[in-house]
Amino acid sequence: MANAHERVFSGVQPTGNLHLGNYLGAIKRFVELQDRFECLYCVVDLHAITVWQDPAELKKSIREVAAAFLAAGVDGTKHIVFNQSQVSAHAELAWIFNCVARLGWLNRMTQFKEKAGKDRENASVGLYAYPNLMAADILAYRATHVPVGEDQKQHLELARDIAQKFNNDFSKSIADLGLAEKFFPQPEPLIAGPATRVMSLRDGARKMSKSEPSDASRINLTDDADQIAAKIRKAKTDPLPLPETVEEMKTRPEADNLIGIYAALADSDAAAVIAQFGGQQFSQFKQALVDLTVSKLAPITAEMKRLVADPGHIDQVLGSGAERAEAIAGETMNHVKDIVGFVRR
Ligand code: ATP
Ligand code: MG
């Protein structure tokens, strides 16, 4: 079992269209960490509303992400599965972090630049402050390990900077209260394996994403076998046979992506996939990839369907998770309020 101070936290936004990148980069890893750590897995609905969400769709998406966690093998009894808005500490600590983080730090965040696009003046303030809320999600539980995809690396680094600045700014108060000098730990990103950045099936330079308009760009966790087969067959490739060395993959982004997906689904690595398929035509490899993807995703998709049909059960899992999460985060918040110098009841 984990050391007493080790704790995993991660989240997925309920923004619709859960995809293979979310599964391989995050959810599959969540499952694998359960034996070694105490884990909190959160449906981050406060993050979702940084861009417009239709209220009825949002509710559906929250339950769908929770269902995906459970269907993939997250244990909501041994660990904690909940939605962010049910635990007020996230928003409260985020405000305090808004006052710790510097504008210059947030101005460097590439996700904001990508998501706000050209019309930056019209982006929500929430989208800009998103990384501070993410730091609060993690640090409210004083989590030490955060499994995420490669795209979240920069936000994790910001969370570490916020933790350090808080500890420094308030070092005297922390000492006066008799608390550990490193009140907030430095959360470690867990970004590893062959599929930390799954790319679009239509464009090897863009990440597979929920918010990408083209459905053909991603494999959704709700796709059936025919849809998966059609999307993989149509996936963009170059005209050459499969690379014969790992080195060669570096200059061939589409091949690199499909090989990475295969390796991650097979719990293998790129070198082993190349040893098996290197030099073959893409058509052959794509058929093997279709078979593997369907065999791995179909049971998850079926279980998600079953769970989503019983929203009462999902709401009960989320409610029980939120109660247990609140107990941990509440303790952190009590300390934080004392550290900052607020008068309390
Ligand atoms: P959105 O476009 O709404 O931001 P998203 O697809 O990026 O959606 P998130 O909910 O933001 O999904 O991210 C959930 C988790 O999935 C994060 O850990 C993120 O790093 C990971 N993730 C997202 N896209 C990919 C990808 N293409 N490859 C690997 N991991 C990914
Ligand atoms: Mg994202």
Short mmCIF file of all heavy atoms in Angstrom, two decimals, residues 13 111 115 130 151-152 207, ligand 2:
data_model
loop_
_atom_site.label_atom_id
_atom_site.label_comp_id
_atom_site.label_asym_id
_atom_site.label_seq_id
_atom_site.Cartn_x
_atom_site.Cartn_y
_atom_site.Cartn_z
N GLN A 13 -12.69 16.63 -17.66
CA GLN A 13 -13.79 17.58 -17.83
C GLN A 13 -15.01 16.92 -18.47
O GLN A 13 -14.86 16.20 -19.46
CB GLN A 13 -13.37 18.70 -18.78
CG GLN A 13 -12.25 19.55 -18.30
CD GLN A 13 -12.07 20.73 -19.24
OE1 GLN A 13 -12.83 21.68 -19.21
NE2 GLN A 13 -11.07 20.63 -20.09
N GLN A 111 -2.30 26.48 -23.14
CA GLN A 111 -3.68 26.01 -23.34
C GLN A 111 -4.65 27.20 -23.47
O GLN A 111 -5.56 27.17 -24.30
CB GLN A 111 -4.14 25.09 -22.21
CG GLN A 111 -5.59 24.65 -22.40
CD GLN A 111 -6.07 23.65 -21.36
OE1 GLN A 111 -5.66 22.49 -21.35
NE2 GLN A 111 -6.95 24.08 -20.49
N LYS A 115 -7.02 27.75 -26.62
CA LYS A 115 -8.47 27.69 -26.47
C LYS A 115 -9.14 29.04 -26.70
O LYS A 115 -10.26 29.11 -27.21
CB LYS A 115 -8.86 27.13 -25.10
CG LYS A 115 -8.56 25.65 -24.99
CD LYS A 115 -9.35 24.99 -23.89
CE LYS A 115 -9.16 23.48 -23.99
NZ LYS A 115 -9.88 22.75 -22.97
N TYR A 130 -8.18 29.12 -15.18
CA TYR A 130 -8.30 27.65 -15.14
C TYR A 130 -7.13 26.97 -14.42
O TYR A 130 -7.34 26.11 -13.54
CB TYR A 130 -8.42 27.20 -16.60
CG TYR A 130 -8.56 25.74 -16.92
CD1 TYR A 130 -9.73 25.26 -17.51
CD2 TYR A 130 -7.52 24.83 -16.72
CE1 TYR A 130 -9.85 23.92 -17.85
CE2 TYR A 130 -7.65 23.50 -17.05
CZ TYR A 130 -8.81 23.06 -17.64
OH TYR A 130 -8.93 21.74 -17.97
N ASP A 151 -0.35 17.13 -22.44
CA ASP A 151 -0.85 18.50 -22.61
C ASP A 151 -1.03 19.24 -21.28
O ASP A 151 -1.12 20.47 -21.28
CB ASP A 151 -2.19 18.49 -23.38
CG ASP A 151 -3.28 17.74 -22.64
OD1 ASP A 151 -3.05 16.59 -22.22
OD2 ASP A 151 -4.37 18.31 -22.45
N GLN A 152 -1.08 18.51 -20.17
CA GLN A 152 -1.29 19.16 -18.87
C GLN A 152 0.00 19.43 -18.10
O GLN A 152 -0.04 19.91 -16.96
CB GLN A 152 -2.25 18.34 -18.01
CG GLN A 152 -3.67 18.31 -18.56
CD GLN A 152 -4.25 19.72 -18.70
OE1 GLN A 152 -4.06 20.58 -17.84
NE2 GLN A 152 -4.92 19.97 -19.81
N LYS A 207 -3.57 17.47 -31.26
CA LYS A 207 -3.93 16.48 -30.25
C LYS A 207 -5.38 16.03 -30.44
O LYS A 207 -6.22 16.83 -30.84
CB LYS A 207 -3.70 17.12 -28.88
CG LYS A 207 -4.69 16.83 -27.80
CD LYS A 207 -4.36 17.53 -26.51
CE LYS A 207 -5.61 18.13 -25.86
NZ LYS A 207 -6.66 17.18 -25.55
MG MG B 2 -8.13 19.49 -22.24
#
